[in-house]
Amino acid sequence: MRYIPLSGLSLRDIEYIVAVDDLRNFSRAADRCGVSQGGLSEQVRKLESLLGVVLFERSRRHVAPTPQGARLIALGRDVLAAARAMIEAARVQTGPLEGMLRIGVIATLGPYYVPSLLPLLRNAYPQLKLQLTDNLTLPMLRMLRHDELDLVFAALPVGGEGFHHAPIFEEPFVAAFPASHPLAARETLAMRDLDGPDLLLLEDGHCLRDQALALCGMPPRREQPRLAASLEMLWHMIGAGEGYSLIPRLALRHRAEWEDLITTTPLPDASRTIGLVWRASDPREAAFIEFARFLRENTPEGCHPAAWPDPGSKGVAG
């Protein structure tokens, strides 16, 4: 068996091959890593020579890992995650919520919560630098698992092993109707009233879609002729008179121009729990729990603090 000295293997080289695997393009990988394409390609070739393995199948229009390359790149991701964990563990003693914090926010929350969140964090955590991402829940949990994010704001509960979470606030739902819809004249509504053909939903993959179906007592995969790709498009479809839906309370902000088109009605006992999610292995867990407590104490208007679990319960530690 050929001896390979560890001194010939650098974390930077591993970052290069992970970037190429992520982007399947040497030029874009070089841009991400802040080096020239020629420099990155040369380092990848040197690493392949050192390992005695061809990591990538290359053609003019195609870059993909070889089967053995895919196995080694997966191990490389683990090495990078361990290196970052080592750095973060060292920082715990000097302020774990200083420096860069990569945060993901579900798409049905981000545009309505982040504008009030940023001034709050700027005052309370002046040394914190944020990198924000919004997406659907499952893609962001994958990013979190692969150490591409540090925290995710999501609707609880979330699936998958290896995550811990803490609840922050309860966000009520309201029913939003075209102003001319018969249900718009009702002062009170029960969830069963919304189980009808006019109910509009988001596309599959949005957790808000599944929550709406569950609250209305419908099957998870109910066929729907019209689906909205985003919460904003859902709102526009309601305004156009296509039907009605459930809307999170924070998304009602700055909607005065829609008052003549859309009527909203509170829904008793219909809400979602917004919480923070992180990797169970992250050494900053204690700081994340305190961060969640701080956010809970500064619940946005129209929502109320989530019940804080007993110490050691799975709500905070699992």
Side-chain angles (χ1 to χ4, degrees), residues 27 50 56 72 103 106 113 131 133 150 181 206 251 287 296 303:
S27 177
L50 174 70
F56 296 101
L72 294 177
I103 296 179
I106 55 174
Y113 179 49
Q131 180 178 306
T133 299
D150 301 307
H181 196 281
H206 286 273
R296 180 178 176 274
C303 303

Side-chain angles (χ1 to χ4, degrees), residues 252-272:
L252 299 184
R253 293 178 174 178
H254 311 300
R255 303 283 189 183
E257 68 273 20
W258 293 85
E259 288 180 353
D260 294 335
L261 296 175
I262 296 179
T263 298
T264 60
T265 305
L267 294 169
D269 303 320
S271 66
R272 62 178 180 175

Side-chain angles (χ1 to χ4, degrees), residues 69-83:
R71 290 192 292 270
L72 294 177
I73 292 167
L75 292 173
R77 291 183 187 275
D78 293 339
V79 170
L80 292 181

Side-chain angles (χ1 to χ4, degrees), residues 118-304:
L118 292 180
L120 186 68
L121 297 185
R122 187 161 46 244
N123 291 331
Y125 296 89
Q127 302 303 315
L128 194 61
K129 296 180 180 179
L130 299 180
Q131 180 178 306
L132 298 174
T133 299
D134 73 326
N135 207 323
L136 303 182
T137 301
L138 287 180
M140 287 198 301
L141 291 180
R142 284 195 293 268
M143 294 176 69
L144 183 62
R145 189 180 301 280
H146 292 153
D147 192 32
E148 297 169 12
L149 290 173
D150 301 307
L151 290 170
V152 170
F153 284 87
L156 302 180
V158 296
E161 297 181 356
F163 298 124
H164 286 177
H165 68 266
I168 302 173
F169 60 86
E170 297 288 334
E171 182 181 18
F173 285 112
V174 301
F177 303 95
S180 60
H181 196 281
L183 290 176
R186 299 269 297 272
E187 293 185 2
T188 61
L189 289 167
M191 295 306 303
R192 61 179 179 274
D193 297 326
L194 303 182
D195 183 0
D198 293 340
L199 179 65
L200 299 173
L201 297 170
L202 291 172
E203 291 178 349
D204 195 18
H206 286 273
C207 59
L208 184 57
R209 167 192 170 91
D210 295 334
Q211 291 160 359
L213 288 172
L215 286 169
C216 295
M218 298 180 183
R221 296 294 178 182
R222 179 176 183 265
E223 291 187 3
Q224 184 75 13
R226 290 298 312 278
L227 299 172
S230 68
L231 189 53
E232 288 304 301
M233 181 52 66
L234 184 65
W235 183 265
H236 294 161
M237 290 166 67
I238 297 168
E242 296 187 42
Y244 57 83
S245 192
L246 275 68
I247 300 293
R249 175 66 176 76
L250 293 180
L252 299 184
R253 293 178 174 178
H254 311 300
R255 303 283 189 183
E257 68 273 20
W258 293 85
E259 288 180 353
D260 294 335
L261 296 175
I262 296 179
T263 298
T264 60
T265 305
L267 294 169
D269 303 320
S271 66
R272 62 178 180 175
T273 303
I274 299 299
L276 273 185
V277 185
W278 60 89
R279 289 183 303 282
S281 60
D282 198 306
R284 296 169 291 178
E285 176 164 274
F288 290 159
I289 292 174
E290 288 307 308
F291 187 47
R293 287 183 185 274
F294 168 77
L295 296 175
R296 180 178 176 274
E297 292 168 358
N298 291 274
T299 292
E301 184 180 356
C303 303
H304 55 273

